[in-house]
Amino acid sequence: MRYTRGASAWQPSLAAFLILIAGASSAFSWSSAGEESSSRFDGKSTTGWVQPGGEVPRPATGLTPNTLTDAERAEGWRLLWDGRTSRGWHSAKGKEFPKEGWQIEDGLLSVVETGGAESRAGGDIVTDDDFAAFELELDFRLTPGANSGIKYYVDTGLNKGEGSAIGLEYQLLDDERHPDAKAGRDGNRTIASLYDLIPAAADKPVKPIGEWNQARIVSTGRHVEHWLNGAKVLEFERGSAEFRRLVAISKYKVWPAFGERPSGPILLQDHGNRVSFRNIKIRELKPE
């Protein structure tokens, strides 16, 4: 800082003083978008927020993949996948985790692209534990044309031949590119649908291919809900007359009491397309 001699003492020049104030102000300022959003920051979005150096600040909780906050632990959540190993999972048709067809890298659990065949490479994987009533959440990212699924109340003993293990399925699909979206009835094979049984809402909030979506399945044992990116897209009652009517006109009609097991593991499907998962967590609920 430059000083000038005054009448009685050394004083900072006015110009230097103003420069100092302007610099300090810019170091702790954010954009007008940030000023508008600061009063409604939701703990997740960082749009409009800037810290010195132009870096976007991370909220204190909830952004580190494959971890739980203290609040989530207090609510009974636990991770189904630790983000690093295959611990807690095994092949749907074997006792070990598949040696091929799946990739664990950079905090992602991914199906390897093998051409789109159902369970022909590594095959499906299931949790070591069974669940009766639960709330399941996970993030998934599709590649163009991809097909996969999240199954629950799975019976790994039903299908001993080729193909996927049998259970209720939350469909994961690129609706625009994959032909399965136009198969079935009334869109019941599109993303977030109860596969081949109940279509997800037409106005479901789907993010573009290559971006992360969040799936949520809530089951109290009988009542089940599918959620996508914070919106409920369908619900049904397992074992109801309507549920059994839908099963009777579906591909599952050959399996006795399909979808009515009291408990079962969670399954991630290998359908031969690259699909990645992270933040897989669950909390058990009190059954109805």
Side-chain angles (χ1 to χ4, degrees):
M1 180 182 294
R2 180 172 60 88
Y3 285 84
T4 59
R5 183 179 296 276
S8 59
W10 291 89
Q11 295 178 335
S13 70
L14 178 60
F17 182 76
L18 291 176
I19 291 172
L20 175 63
I21 294 299
S25 175
S26 64
F28 294 98
S29 66
W30 43 80
S31 67
S32 59
E35 291 172 357
E36 180 182 354
S37 63
S38 62
S39 62
R40 63 176 191 274
F41 180 58
D42 61 4
K44 296 179 181 178
S45 174
T46 54
T47 302
W49 289 73
V50 180
Q51 66 183 21
E55 299 176 354
V56 176
R58 297 170 67 92
T61 60
L63 279 190
T64 304
N66 308 309
T67 61
L68 296 175
T69 65
D70 291 340
E72 287 173 326
R73 291 189 185 91
E75 292 171 352
W77 290 95
R78 68 181 176 95
L79 291 176
L80 278 181
W81 182 56
D82 62 15
R84 303 180 309 276
T85 72
S86 61
R87 187 179 299 113
W89 295 81
H90 63 274
S91 169
K93 297 183 178 181
K95 296 182 179 180
E96 305 296 329
F97 193 84
K99 295 181 179 179
E100 60 182 1
W102 290 84
Q103 181 184 57
I104 296 174
E105 187 175 37
D106 297 330
L108 305 182
L109 175 61
S110 302
V111 183
V112 175
E113 176 63 45
T114 55
E118 180 181 318
S119 299
R120 297 287 181 85
D124 304 336
I125 58 174
V126 294
T127 56
D128 293 347
D129 297 332
D130 288 358
F131 301 95
F134 58 87
E135 183 175 0
L136 171 72
E137 287 186 2
L138 61 78
D139 298 339
F140 67 92
R141 185 174 65 190
L142 301 174
T143 53
N147 184 4
S148 184
I150 308 161
K151 297 189 180 183
Y152 49 104
Y153 297 113
V154 173
D155 187 340
T156 57
L158 274 183
N159 182 17
K160 296 295 187 181
E162 292 185 352
S164 185
I166 304 302
L168 296 169
E169 180 177 354
Y170 182 117
Q171 171 76 315
L172 304 180
L173 195 76
D174 179 353
D175 289 348
E176 293 186 5
R177 297 175 179 87
H178 199 287
D180 210 21
K182 295 178 176 61
R185 300 181 320 279
D186 304 320
N188 65 3
R189 295 188 181 185
T190 59
I191 190 170
S193 295
L194 179 63
Y195 180 76
D196 211 45
L197 295 171
I198 303 173
D203 60 350
K204 57 195 172 187
V206 185
K207 294 184 179 180
I209 297 300
E211 294 187 13
W212 288 102
N213 289 267
Q214 185 193 64
R216 179 176 173 227
I217 302 170
V218 182
S219 175
T220 58
R222 181 176 172 85
H223 181 79
V224 181
E225 299 173 355
H226 284 191
W227 293 68
L228 177 64
N229 295 322
K232 183 166 65 175
V233 296
L234 67 81
E235 59 187 330
F236 64 97
E237 306 292 322
R238 292 200 306 143
S240 67
E242 176 61 11
F243 175 80
R244 290 174 178 174
R245 183 189 72 81
L246 292 172
V247 171
I249 58 175
S250 76
K251 63 186 293 184
Y252 299 116
K253 61 186 178 183
V254 299
W255 306 111
F258 170 78
E260 298 188 37
R261 294 192 76 198
S263 65
I266 306 298
L267 176 150
L268 299 179
Q269 187 183 43
D270 165 22
H271 212 299
N273 299 132
R274 188 168 186 85
V275 178
S276 296
F277 302 92
R278 69 180 185 185
N279 295 330
I280 309 172
K281 59 188 177 183
I282 199 167
R283 65 172 174 172
E284 297 190 63
L285 305 176
K286 184 178 180 180
E288 293 178 333

